[in-house]
Amino acid sequence: MIPRHICVLNFTRMGDLIQSSPLLKSYRIAYPEAKLSLIVLEPFRAVGERLPMCDDVMGFDLDHFEPLLNSAGSDLTAAYKVLSNFIQRATERPVDLLVNLSHTPLSATIASLIGANSMIGLMRTPDGQLTVSSEWINYLFSVMQERSLNPFNLAEIYLRLGPGTTTTPSLSFHVSQVDQQEAQRLLSSVTVDINVPYVVLQPGASSDQRRWPESSFAELACLLKSNGVQVVVVGTKAESSLAERIVRMSAGAAVSLCGRTSIGSLSAILLSATRLVSNDTGTMHLAAAVGTPTISLFLGPASAKDTAPLGNGHIVIETDLECAPCSYNMTCANPICREQVSAEDILPFCLYTGDDVFNSARCMKGVRVYQTSNDIERLRLNSLNKPHTGYSSSVLSFYRCFWDMLLTGAAVVEGTAEWYEGEDNSSWMEGISELERIFDRAERLLAELYTESASINRQTDTLKDCLKQQIVWQEMLRAFMQKYPQLAAFPRFLLVKAVTARSHRLEDYLVDMTETVDLFHHGVSLLKTLSANLQNEDQLYACCE
Amino acid sequence: MMAESLITSVVADSSSLEAVLAAADLPTIRAKNSMPTLAFKGVRLHSSVDPVAEAEQIVANCLSELTTALQSAKGQPITVFVLGAGLGYLIGALEKSLGDSKYPLAQVKVVCIEAESEVARKAIQLQVWKSCSLDVKWLVGSSCIESALLLQTAAARFLLTGTSSYRMNKPVYDGIIERMSGTKRAERPMRILVPTPLYGGSLPIAHYCAAAFEKLGHQVERLDLTEYYAAFHQAENITRQPQHRKSLQGMLTAYLAEVIVARALDFQCDLVWAVAQTPLTPQALLELRRRQVHTALWFVEDYRLFGYWQELAQHYDAVFTIQRGSFHDELKALGVKHVEYLPCAADPEVHYPRELSVNEQARFGSDLSFVGAGYHNRQETFAQLQLTSLKIWGNDWPPDVSASRWVQEQGRRINTEESAKIFSATKINLNLHSSPNHQGVNPYGDFVNPRTFEIAACGGFQLVDQRSELGSHFKAEEEMVVFQNTEELPELIEYYLSHETERLQIAERSRQRVLSEHTYVHRMTQALDFLQQQLPRLRDRKRGPNYVSSLLQAAGKDRELAEFLSAFDSDQEVDLDQIVARIKIGEGKLSRPEGIFLLMKEFRDWGREKGVIA
């Protein structure tokens, strides 16, 4: 059935929201007549409103909601009204297809309250159990814990949730005339001449570990100024003092509009800028979306592979340290990655293009410098200073092929096995054999559960007890992941599926686990076939495409 | 047509029989677990998933109170009145809970009260409790209130509510509760925190007050601090230096005062009700005032003997006293704005006539007894009396005084239950108010001690020494026999031992006077009325938005929400966790309100994780 109303729920922040625009576009192309609604957190409603393919954007305002639920002075009556009205507004027109791109239980509950004939993402079943309806969402959950093995950019994963329309994953963002006028007013207020080139700096980030030092930003501002380039610092209100310090340290080489921009005026400021220099931030994606070249530094837990800006010609820099990128939620006592890049390193990227850029990149030590290019359904990070070979890149290419085949059903590759020269693939093959043995165990335990299911007392406690046996093969997978880290991505995916299986009713559990064990079987076969045929990345992709 | 004999076997009286016979036959619907349930007047009377589990949950919610009631009954029969019995699922749940306990099923009679004759008819027809071995009777229809009142006995009863049927006809059943307990439930319940003292004579009074507040329909939290007594007492073993000991105990008191503040704020109470010796400090009381939590102290001590009120009284919003006159003047001079006289009382659910076994009668019974500690005036008085028999119960009787020969069971402490048995089993209870400074009767004695009310409530006869306030509580000679000095005692004892009828009549009159005027419910009603008159913020407090009635009002025409909320008492204040606890995941389709409350909780949890919701 062709959906007449598609609703996308995205409770992420600005960057992720912009990265979902290729997916929204693919829905717009596949269903040009459908109404496309977007539900976002209120602070990012202005972002949603500027995504040109959306017909309607609703914001959920937590600021109004929080005081109603504080333990002192909570007001359940008012809170109920707020939520009830919100759901009523969202369901004024029946939704045919609902896509939930968020990963919190609350987004699942909202999705289920809105309801739709067809739902994609995390949701609740009518009886309230959490469930995931798309394998790519399961993939997204699992890959957060196995980031080094993830070959996809976030926008690419989002795109795989869509209708499968073949499009080049490019970002979209509409900058209005009002936005541009507001930007001009703001720039004039800090004496920036819009007829003279200016570079925008975004020194803030979601955590300190992800920030290039403010002294480096200040030094870059001085260098740019001496080259006749104006410098504007942007950021949120909370980042104002950081911006002020940079302005002070640069002795006025930079001016600050930090905390003064709206999303609209920010997008217009970026649109007119010659470059944006940024950490991995929403501003970076916004600049990429309005077509302004970016130079971005991926520090701390940020990974270029996961969230580099979509588009052609963006410069992406990450450190070459073994520990990079670090895990989420870890605190680093020695964040040396922040010191690996100097202002002098960055300057040429702000001033020049073409060979001058390549020459600058080649001189840089201790970092990997990439330039982005968009192919069909794929963002490539083209290395400017290191050969694009090596074990990790071949494993990533392998996984790109594997996941597309397993989860989207791309055709199986034919060819002959050939690993890169010098690589030892014996443990890889040994690992696959072990995975096969774990699968046998999982299949046997599930068969036993089927046999016992008739005699099981359906009381919840008893159910939990009788499902304990199923944990055996999941524990085996956990041990396996320790032993074969390069093969951990698929077991992690299976574990996410097993852990999120509906377990309130035995019937539901059996359905979900059967699906998981079937996918286990399919995945192991695919791993074997692909490994036997593995030759090189280009050949793999030639076959995939 | 249902056989009349089937109905007769379970209904309690003829009007119930008539009501059931005249009632229409209702169609049942099946719950998910295939048990029958009913939808009546738009309300689903039992869980549509599992009525048995629902009933078990209702019983589990009140199990500790039921156990206490059984314990207090000491093997005597107890009647459990199920108010709003519906199809009678609570009967099976009661049997299951009691079967798991140490109490014999034979001790319990169940009276199911159902105002809706059609519902009762269906219940009797289906008899979902059929194989149950409890003694079950039904009171049905419009006359069930009067019938219930006829069936009740003073102490051995337990009122079980919480069903949808109860909520459907709440005014009817609350009428029964009010009539049985003689209390009118508050229209706008308060949240009251009752912290207990660590030990001592005020400790049980704190519990009696809390129970009275509950009976009046308020939301009460008892903060039992007795477990800290060991730590408090330990200070005496740590050092012999009085200053150091005082300092250690002061620190513990300060800590406990902070505990009270923390609970008061978390519980968001309207009032902290303290009795003498509740560990509150001026700092904690100031903090509570700053946080707009009202505080009241009931100083159930002799202010002349215990002077610690002087440091604390002015920090309370109101002080209640068992003495008036100069004490009130002193309190006002200290700056206490609101002072009220509030005499002692009895709790008829604790202090009621006991029936004793032969062995108990031999142990606790006597012609003449005294219960209390060995204060100086008591030692003197009992030494002077030329008695042939006397039983003295209680501690602190020095072995070297002549009265010590009457002391029972090595002068151990007597608990409440034992004292009630002694009062019931004794022909003449001597009640001599304590005084460390007088011989015999204290000629200036003013307040009336709790024991006066307790002996009366237990149906005991007493000879009590003259107190200036006694006349305002009992009619002399008619309800209470008073002695002015110890010399009068021998004659009075002899007279009343030989005039049993007169003795029993006086005892009964004094008991009736207590029940009608001197219970803790009466006192707490008076205290709260006073507080609401004097403290405008307490009087004008709005019913919070989290009362079920407010939610129902907000629900308007949202029938799904109204149906979901029908599981709660409309007078109840609920929090989000209580609501969400009712939502069963994986057991049938969630309704829209269930989804919205679930969402609300998820937002709150998410907000807490992010630190934006406190």
Side-chain angles (χ1 to χ4, degrees):
Chain A
M1 197 185 89
I2 294 173
R4 283 170 300 171
H5 183 190
I6 302 165
C7 178
V8 176
L9 189 66
N10 193 341
F11 276 6
T12 57
R13 298 170 62 83
M14 182 162 77
D16 288 8
L17 196 50
I18 292 171
Q19 289 182 90
S20 72
S21 63
L23 168 70
L24 297 171
K25 196 154 82 182
S26 76
Y27 275 116
R28 174 49 70 229
I29 292 168
Y31 308 110
E33 301 299 320
K35 178 184 172 177
L36 185 55
S37 307
L38 181 64
I39 301 180
V40 295
L41 294 174
E42 178 60 25
F44 305 110
R45 186 161 56 86
V47 177
E49 284 168 349
R50 286 167 174 77
L51 299 179
M53 66 296 283
C54 294
D55 298 313
D56 181 35
V57 181
M58 254 179 85
F60 189 82
D61 193 351
L62 272 178
D63 283 350
H64 280 97
F65 200 68
E66 285 153 20
L68 303 177
L69 292 180
N70 276 333
S71 60
S74 75
D75 186 341
L76 299 183
T77 305
Y80 187 89
K81 277 187 185 165
V82 170
L83 284 182
S84 183
N85 291 341
F86 176 76
I87 298 297
Q88 197 175 351
R89 271 178 56 215
T91 50
E92 266 165 13
R93 189 167 162 186
V95 178
D96 301 308
L97 171 63
L98 193 142
V99 184
N100 179 15
L101 298 181
S102 332
H103 49 264
T104 52
L106 75 91
S107 68
T109 309
I110 291 183
S112 306
L113 279 164
I114 294 171
N117 298 332
S118 175
M119 292 171 75
I120 294 173
L122 184 67
M123 67 182 76
R124 287 188 182 276
T125 54
D127 64 0
Q129 301 183 70
L130 281 173
T131 184
V132 178
S133 79
S134 161
E135 297 304 357
W136 280 107
I137 289 284
N138 276 325
Y139 174 77
L140 191 59
F141 292 166
S142 68
V143 85
M144 285 176 191
Q145 298 169 72
E146 298 297 338
R147 295 169 66 210
S148 65
L149 301 177
N150 170 35
F152 301 105
N153 182 282
L154 179 63
E156 294 174 321
I157 299 176
Y158 280 159
L159 202 51
R160 279 160 171 76
L161 294 164
T165 323
T166 308
T167 64
T168 303
S170 63
L171 305 174
S172 317
F173 198 88
H174 175 69
V175 184
S176 71
Q177 278 210 324
V178 175
D179 294 337
Q180 296 194 32
Q181 285 161 3
E182 173 68 7
Q184 282 179 17
R185 195 184 60 73
L186 284 169
L187 288 166
S188 307
S189 76
V190 286
T191 64
V192 170
D193 182 348
I194 53 165
N195 298 310
V196 176
Y198 66 86
V199 165
V200 176
L201 308 183
Q202 163 65 56
S206 57
S207 71
D208 280 353
Q209 295 177 77
R210 292 167 175 259
R211 282 200 302 106
W212 195 39
E214 55 200 56
S215 56
S216 302
F217 273 107
E219 207 182 325
L220 177 63
C222 294
L223 292 171
L224 285 166
K225 173 85 181 212
S226 62
N227 279 278
V229 178
Q230 304 172 95
V231 181
V232 180
V233 184
V234 297
T236 63
K237 212 169 212 163
E239 292 160 354
S240 296
S241 58
L242 168 68
E244 287 309 321
R245 287 199 297 275
I246 291 170
V247 169
R248 241 189 348 264
M249 279 191 263
S250 70
V255 293
S256 170
L257 285 175
C258 211
R260 293 176 61 193
T261 54
S262 63
I263 281 170
S265 58
L266 176 64
S267 64
I269 289 168
L270 292 168
L271 178 69
S272 309
T274 52
R275 297 282 191 283
L276 167 77
V277 179
S278 175
N279 301 305
D280 175 19
T281 61
T283 306
M284 172 191 79
H285 293 293
L286 185 56
V290 298
T292 298
T294 64
I295 298 123
S296 48
L297 294 110
F298 282 72
L299 305 171
S303 162
K305 193 164 57 61
D306 297 348
T307 52
L310 238 61
N312 288 311
H314 297 291
I315 299 295
V316 172
I317 299 165
E318 59 183 9
T319 56
D320 209 8
L321 298 166
E322 277 205 16
C323 58
C326 46
S327 309
Y328 289 125
N329 304 325
M330 76 161 284
T331 315
C332 179
N334 185 23
I336 48 170
C337 59
R338 298 178 60 200
E339 312 292 339
Q340 298 283 303
V341 186
S342 69
E344 285 86 355
D345 288 336
I346 299 296
L347 183 68
F349 300 118
C350 297
L351 300 176
Y352 314 121
T353 52
D355 286 348
D356 290 333
V357 165
F358 299 135
N359 290 337
S360 302
R362 267 194 285 276
C363 301
M364 288 173 72
K365 301 276 179 247
V367 292
R368 291 192 287 263
V369 187
Y370 304 101
Q371 191 169 41
T372 62
S373 66
N374 256 19
D375 292 351
I376 288 193
E377 289 202 27
R378 182 168 189 198
L379 174 73
R380 284 186 187 273
L381 294 176
N382 305 302
S383 176
L384 299 184
N385 69 337
K386 302 255 169 184
H388 188 44
T389 54
Y391 187 78
S392 101
S393 114
S394 68
V395 166
L396 290 181
S397 300
F398 176 90
Y399 273 122
R400 178 174 274 274
C401 210
F402 170 77
W403 289 115
D404 272 338
M405 286 177 171
L406 184 71
L407 304 183
T408 311
V412 177
V413 178
E414 298 292 336
T416 52
E418 188 184 309
W419 286 83
Y420 290 103
E421 199 179 335
E423 274 178 2
D424 174 17
N425 70 348
S426 58
S427 73
W428 176 278
M429 300 311 284
E430 181 189 292
I432 292 174
S433 303
E434 178 145 356
L435 209 49
E436 224 173 348
R437 284 192 288 277
I438 300 175
F439 164 72
D440 288 341
R441 188 69 184 273
E443 195 182 35
R444 221 170 35 244
L445 287 168
L446 186 64
E448 282 170 19
L449 186 60
Y450 264 104
T451 314
E452 290 162 8
S453 65
S455 58
I456 285 171
N457 182 334
R458 303 300 166 94
Q459 293 291 326
T460 313
D461 287 352
T462 327
L463 182 60
K464 278 186 182 148
D465 281 344
C466 75
L467 300 185
K468 273 187 186 152
Q469 270 301 96
Q470 298 299 310
I471 293 171
V472 171
W473 65 267
Q474 295 165 35
E475 288 303 325
M476 289 167 78
L477 277 186
R478 285 197 177 86
F480 172 88
M481 285 156 59
Q482 297 277 328
K483 194 170 166 193
Y484 302 100
Q486 283 91 10
L487 277 165
F490 180 51
R492 177 71 70 190
F493 171 84
L494 292 170
L495 281 176
V496 165
K497 273 188 76 70
V499 169
T500 56
R502 292 166 298 161
S503 57
H504 285 83
R505 285 176 355 117
L506 184 58
E507 294 84 343
D508 296 335
Y509 186 80
L510 285 171
V511 168
D512 288 2
M513 285 315 255
T514 305
E515 191 185 286
T516 304
V517 172
D518 284 350
L519 208 56
F520 196 164
H521 178 244
H522 187 184
V524 171
S525 314
L526 195 57
L527 278 174
K528 277 170 71 181
T529 313
L530 277 180
S531 302
N533 294 338
L534 189 64
Q535 191 170 28
N536 65 51
E537 186 191 2
D538 289 337
Q539 192 175 343
L540 279 170
Y541 271 87
C543 298
C544 283
E545 287 156 14
Chain B
M1 190 65 200
M2 214 187 336
E4 196 172 321
S5 60
L6 177 70
I7 309 172
T8 319
S9 64
V10 288
V11 293
D13 60 5
S14 57
S15 63
S16 298
L17 178 66
E18 278 169 34
V20 173
L21 285 172
D25 193 11
L26 298 174
T28 54
I29 43 180
R30 293 272 156 195
K32 283 192 99 178
N33 73 341
S34 84
M35 295 301 283
T37 172
L38 271 183
F40 186 66
K41 294 184 180 171
V43 177
R44 210 170 269 253
L45 296 188
H46 298 283
S47 161
S48 53
V49 177
D50 187 346
V52 176
E54 179 193 42
E56 285 173 5
Q57 188 57 49
I58 292 172
V59 172
N61 289 345
C62 64
L63 193 58
S64 68
E65 290 160 44
L66 177 59
T67 311
T68 311
L70 284 160
Q71 206 172 354
S72 320
K74 296 280 171 193
Q76 298 300 311
I78 180 165
T79 307
V80 176
F81 290 90
V82 180
L83 303 175
L87 290 182
Y89 280 107
L90 284 187
I91 303 167
L94 270 170
E95 186 192 32
K96 190 174 173 202
S97 278
L98 293 169
D100 294 340
S101 74
K102 60 179 181 176
Y103 299 100
L105 292 178
Q107 194 188 344
V108 179
K109 287 185 164 62
V110 179
V111 175
C112 290
I113 305 179
E114 181 49 65
E116 302 290 354
S117 311
E118 291 94 332
V119 175
R121 179 194 160 96
K122 189 48 75 178
I124 291 166
Q125 192 181 1
L126 295 169
Q127 300 218 3
V128 292
W129 66 91
K130 201 177 282 170
S131 55
C132 163
S133 46
L134 286 166
D135 176 357
V136 179
K137 292 287 180 213
W138 282 72
L139 284 175
V140 182
S142 52
S143 59
C144 62
I145 295 191
E146 298 309 322
S147 310
L149 293 171
L150 287 175
L151 273 183
Q152 70 150 336
T153 52
R157 62 152 191 259
F158 186 82
L159 302 173
L160 187 49
T161 58
T163 60
S164 293
S165 301
Y166 163 75
R167 285 185 289 275
M168 192 164 73
N169 285 306
K170 193 166 181 297
V172 174
Y173 301 121
D174 282 353
I176 296 177
I177 297 172
E178 281 174 19
R179 296 277 292 279
M180 281 190 180
S181 54
T183 58
K184 178 143 181 59
R185 290 168 77 80
E187 282 171 18
R188 287 183 309 150
M190 288 184 206
R191 292 167 82 92
I192 305 175
L193 180 73
V194 183
T196 71
L198 276 62
Y199 64 100
S202 319
L203 173 61
I205 294 177
H207 285 291
Y208 303 148
C209 293
F213 289 138
E214 281 164 357
K215 286 191 194 95
L216 290 168
H218 298 287
Q219 209 170 335
V220 181
E221 183 177 309
R222 298 177 197 217
L223 181 56
D224 188 346
L225 299 174
T226 50
E227 61 187 282
Y228 294 95
Y229 175 65
F232 191 84
H233 183 65
Q234 184 65 17
E236 289 165 19
N237 302 332
I238 291 170
T239 174
R240 280 170 295 181
Q241 301 299 321
Q243 276 312 102
H244 216 155
R245 186 185 295 174
K246 201 176 162 194
S247 156
L248 288 171
Q249 290 178 335
M251 284 177 191
L252 183 64
T253 303
Y255 168 78
L256 292 174
E258 270 309 306
V259 168
I260 296 171
V261 173
R263 276 313 307 147
L265 297 180
D266 195 47
F267 179 45
Q268 295 175 46
C269 61
D270 300 303
L271 174 69
V272 174
W273 178 263
V275 295
Q277 292 187 319
T278 297
L280 270 162
T281 59
Q283 293 77 5
L285 288 162
L286 284 169
E287 177 66 7
L288 288 169
R289 182 170 289 170
R290 200 174 68 75
R291 303 292 201 112
Q292 303 212 323
V293 177
H294 282 303
T295 55
L297 167 70
W298 191 13
F299 195 73
V300 278
E301 304 261 30
D302 184 344
Y303 82 102
R304 296 183 188 92
L305 286 183
F306 300 93
Y308 57 86
W309 52 272
Q310 296 172 55
E311 293 151 28
L312 290 165
Q314 69 268 38
H315 302 296
Y316 281 95
D317 293 332
V319 176
F320 296 90
T321 64
I322 57 172
Q323 291 153 296
R324 40 191 164 181
S326 55
F327 187 22
H328 282 199
D329 298 339
E330 288 196 42
L331 286 170
K332 285 185 175 154
L334 264 182
V336 184
K337 280 193 191 142
H338 309 297
V339 181
E340 175 81 338
Y341 171 62
L342 191 69
C344 298
D347 181 344
E349 293 199 359
V350 177
H351 309 111
Y352 58 90
R354 299 297 200 274
E355 285 177 26
L356 277 68
S357 66
V358 177
N359 285 344
E360 282 179 325
Q361 183 63 41
R363 181 178 166 197
F364 295 116
S366 66
D367 283 353
L368 196 60
S369 75
F370 175 82
V371 178
Y375 280 88
H376 173 74
N377 62 328
R378 292 170 177 165
Q379 293 174 24
E380 291 290 316
T381 300
F382 299 141
Q384 285 167 20
L385 292 175
Q386 303 290 315
L387 297 170
T388 49
S389 80
L390 168 67
K391 283 187 176 176
I392 293 177
W393 302 87
N395 48 300
D396 293 339
W397 289 91
D400 54 347
V401 299
S402 66
S404 67
R405 64 201 152 119
W406 307 117
V407 173
Q408 304 296 301
E409 303 188 2
Q410 290 79 48
R412 64 175 179 87
R413 276 181 183 274
I414 300 298
N415 64 33
T416 307
E417 178 59 26
E418 288 168 335
S419 62
K421 284 182 178 164
I422 296 162
F423 298 152
S424 299
T426 299
K427 287 181 183 164
I428 296 176
N429 290 282
L430 292 177
N431 183 4
L432 176 60
H433 285 72
S434 63
S435 172
N437 309 320
H438 298 90
Q439 311 279 341
V441 176
N442 174 0
Y444 310 107
D446 47 9
F447 68 91
V448 177
N449 65 13
R451 193 175 300 107
T452 312
F453 299 98
E454 291 166 3
I455 294 172
C458 287
F461 174 84
Q462 61 186 308
L463 294 174
V464 61
D465 56 336
Q466 173 56 35
R467 310 290 288 179
S468 61
E469 293 286 3
L470 194 62
S472 58
H473 304 315
F474 298 96
K475 286 183 193 156
E477 308 307 322
E478 213 174 294
E479 293 169 343
M480 196 67 64
V481 180
V482 182
F483 58 95
Q484 307 293 332
N485 52 57
T486 47
E487 289 73 41
E488 292 176 12
L489 267 177
E491 196 179 324
L492 286 170
I493 291 167
E494 194 186 332
Y495 178 83
Y496 283 105
L497 277 179
S498 55
H499 290 79
E500 186 178 9
T501 312
E502 199 175 337
R503 193 181 72 221
L504 293 177
Q505 281 169 347
I506 292 170
E508 180 54 24
R509 284 196 289 266
S510 69
R511 177 172 140 76
Q512 289 309 325
R513 184 77 191 263
V514 169
L515 292 181
S516 62
E517 287 179 36
H518 306 311
T519 66
Y520 284 96
V521 168
H522 293 113
R523 299 293 187 254
M524 294 307 107
T525 305
Q526 184 194 337
L528 293 183
D529 284 350
F530 175 79
L531 289 172
Q532 293 191 80
Q533 277 163 23
Q534 303 298 324
L535 306 171
R537 210 173 63 236
L538 201 60
R539 179 184 61 228
D540 301 335
R541 77 191 186 285
K542 292 210 171 59
R543 166 158 289 197
N546 300 340
Y547 277 91
V548 173
S549 53
S550 305
L551 282 162
L552 274 167
Q553 207 172 5
K557 290 178 185 159
D558 189 340
R559 284 192 60 186
E560 269 192 304
L561 177 59
E563 192 181 327
F564 175 68
L565 292 171
S566 72
F568 297 90
D569 189 336
S570 66
D571 275 345
Q572 187 183 353
E573 190 170 14
V574 284
D575 65 30
L576 191 49
D577 293 312
Q578 283 172 310
I579 294 178
V580 173
R582 296 261 179 160
I583 300 172
K584 302 286 179 225
I585 302 289
E587 296 180 17
K589 190 175 184 306
L590 294 190
S591 67
R592 187 168 173 278
E594 285 178 320
I596 289 177
F597 280 117
L598 195 60
L599 179 58
M600 208 183 287
K601 181 180 177 292
E602 282 159 351
F603 265 116
R604 190 204 56 193
D605 293 349
W606 189 46
R608 279 185 180 170
E609 199 182 305
K610 304 250 172 222
V612 292
I613 292 178

